[in-house]
Amino acid sequence: MPKCFKYLSFFLIFFVYVEAFALNIHIKESAVVKGEEVFLKDIIKKVEGEGKLSDKLLNLEILSSPMPCREKNITGRRVSYIIKQSPLFLKSMKIVFPKYLTIKRSGQKLSYKQIEDFFTNEISKKFKKFKIEELGTSAGKCFPEGELKLKLIRYKQNENSKYVNIYTKILIDDAYYKDILLSGSIVNYEKVVCSLKNIKRNEEINDSNVGFCDVDVDKVRKDHLRDINKIYGLIAKNSMPKDSPLKMSHLKKKILVKKGGIVEVLVKINGLTISTVGNAQSDAVKGEKIFVRNVDTKKLIISKVIGPSKVEAVSF
């Protein structure tokens, strides 16, 4: 056999052998990725032939991925060129690629509930009672996949302002991702004494007609009552509608002794208490001192009102 035929047959045998063990790498037309880089393993549709690709080659970085929830295109020819530039690529390998490869990156959204819960938690550290009226954020609509957490950077609220800015950092799987701004308008409330129902003029104040209610701090005045125990037993100067914040100026002490009325006068002498009767010379409330004329002696006695139609002699 001529040498040329001998060499030709050897070449054909080698070619068939190489083809038998060649790997055909098929590239997808589209792929969805989670991370910031796109690797060869992410875009392989299938591998045909004997053997398998090494882990190092499978983890070959092809390109950077798009932003979360977005996509980008790259030509199949460019992908093929990048793969072939790797020192791990063998001549026996063949790449089958589409005209274009579309890379889509998955992601997650920051829900309104997550924002509201975080905002509410931070506000509750400053105020006991409040309501959120408006809430917004500078954050984008999509973030990388993983465990998403919000962490406070700084709380800012100008004095006498309803608007609050909460500077926040986003963590994905406990790793820093970006800073965002949460902003909102809040109404802060303060508890004050209010009427629980419609109160009539000269109606006595008790726990059935007064209690506490939450009032916008912008509407709360210094003279609004905070201590409910101070007003039990007082009476309303005028009628008051339900849910009205109460002031001391709305109330007055109940008249226990009326001018010209008969009152019991208690006189304490040497540890003994003597009771007599007199005529009140003026209207008076509890604790007030008035003149009382003794019915028998006609003498004026300075007395202190201690109860309904009852006084205690102070000077006689």
Side-chain angles (χ1 to χ4, degrees), residues 191-203:
K191 283 189 179 298
V192 297
V193 180
C194 292
S195 53
L196 298 179
K197 62 180 185 179
N198 293 333
I199 297 178
K200 297 178 181 178
R201 183 181 180 183
N202 292 326
E203 182 177 344

Side-chain angles (χ1 to χ4, degrees), residues 68 100 239 272:
Y100 290 101
S239 60
L272 297 175

